[in-house]
Amino acid sequence: MTIRQNEKFCRICDSPSILFFQDTRTFYKCPECRLIFSEDFPDKKDEENHYKTQWQTTHPDFWKGQVDVLVQLITNYRTPKNILDFGSGSGEMTREFLKRGYDITPLEPMIHGYLKEQNYPAQFDVVIVVEVLEHLQDPWKEIHEIENVLSPDGIVIFSTLLTNEFIDRPDAANHFRNWWYKDDPTHVSFFCNHVLSKMADMENYDIDIIGDKVFVLKRTP
């Protein structure tokens, strides 16, 4: 398949994707699954400095609220035996889970190394991926690595702001222009219900979408 100037291959379904919006970065939109993505990535040092600055500015009460929501969501599916906090950042959320008596393991690449480098003694029945997916330059690679440490009946909970509010509007680019979520220079992949449906079809997943920010991924039996 050839690709024309001002097109890039979608990082989810590999379809040629057209130029969608441009300011200090260039964004593309896939006509097939509607993923919006950018290939303008910060360098590694700037990226790490950005993350560490965010860690310092997040109030502890924020993580208490996050864990309240996650615990309620997890218990709708199962009583967790062991949880992986994928992309655990400063570890505040992991510590909040530990305070509540949960068996949880943090995984932050800047601290612990990458997931593929770990040697966990057992698989996890719950993996939480909170505000991580939008940062991933190769989402499939990370999702497949998560699958490798997920128990056969396990669940993965993702939290990322979806583009559902505007993605199908004829003036979607104008809405995207004012969408605060794109302004973080480390946010490079933006999902919507269409993308999640395509992912489910491609990999035989069950995906439960909850509002415009959370979805739960399970393997189809």
Side-chain angles (χ1 to χ4, degrees):
M1 181 185 296
T2 59
I3 190 165
R4 298 188 297 270
Q5 188 177 10
N6 290 330
E7 287 186 339
K8 299 289 183 181
F9 287 116
C10 174
R11 57 181 57 136
I12 293 298
C13 69
D14 210 33
S15 298
S17 302
I18 59 175
L19 179 66
F20 175 63
F21 178 78
Q22 193 167 26
D23 53 10
T24 57
R25 294 191 291 162
T26 301
F27 298 87
Y28 299 86
K29 178 183 175 183
C30 176
E32 177 66 25
C33 72
R34 298 178 180 80
L35 181 79
I36 297 173
F37 62 97
S38 176
E39 295 191 350
D40 296 328
F41 310 128
D43 65 37
K44 204 66 179 175
K45 183 177 180 180
D46 288 343
E47 181 182 46
E48 292 187 0
N49 287 338
H50 179 80
Y51 291 151
K52 290 174 181 178
T53 298
Q54 288 186 321
W55 296 353
Q56 295 168 1
T57 57
T58 304
H59 195 277
D61 286 345
F62 170 81
W63 296 115
K64 292 179 181 178
Q66 288 285 94
V67 172
D68 286 343
V69 172
L70 287 166
V71 166
Q72 180 61 57
L73 182 56
I74 291 168
T75 54
N76 287 342
Y77 288 87
R78 66 194 317 113
T79 300
K81 295 178 181 178
N82 55 346
I83 304 170
L84 176 66
D85 183 359
F86 180 83
S88 55
S90 63
E92 291 290 342
M93 188 164 68
T94 296
R95 285 189 282 275
E96 184 62 29
F97 269 102
L98 288 171
K99 288 178 185 176
R100 303 184 190 199
Y102 289 95
D103 182 356
I104 184 168
T105 300
L107 189 282
E108 170 51 52
M110 289 189 291
I111 299 172
H112 310 104
Y114 293 102
L115 182 55
K116 64 183 179 181
E117 300 166 351
Q118 309 305 311
N119 186 23
Y120 297 122
Q123 292 181 308
F124 299 91
D125 60 351
V126 177
V127 179
I128 53 176
V129 187
V130 174
E131 295 295 313
V132 173
L133 191 62
E134 64 277 6
H135 299 274
L136 301 182
Q137 300 174 18
D138 189 349
W140 277 131
K141 177 183 176 183
E142 302 293 345
I143 291 170
H144 291 151
E145 288 181 2
I146 289 171
E147 278 195 272
N148 289 335
V149 301
L150 185 68
S151 65
D153 62 345
I155 62 171
V156 187
I157 299 176
F158 292 91
S159 171
T160 186
L161 189 57
L162 303 176
T163 61
N164 293 333
E165 182 181 356
F166 59 81
I167 193 65
D168 289 324
R169 295 177 60 112
D171 57 348
N174 285 332
H175 284 266
F176 187 75
R177 179 192 305 274
N178 298 314
W179 195 46
W180 66 272
Y181 207 59
K182 75 162 190 337
D183 295 332
D184 186 315
T186 63
H187 288 189
V188 295
S189 300
F190 304 102
F191 294 73
C192 66
N193 287 7
H194 300 290
V195 185
L196 301 181
S197 178
K198 184 69 174 180
M199 292 170 66
D201 290 342
M202 290 175 67
E203 293 286 326
N204 204 28
Y205 295 143
D206 282 333
I207 295 181
D208 298 333
I209 303 170
I210 303 161
D212 281 331
K213 191 169 184 180
V214 176
F215 63 96
V216 180
L217 183 150
K218 302 167 286 181
R219 297 187 184 96
T220 302

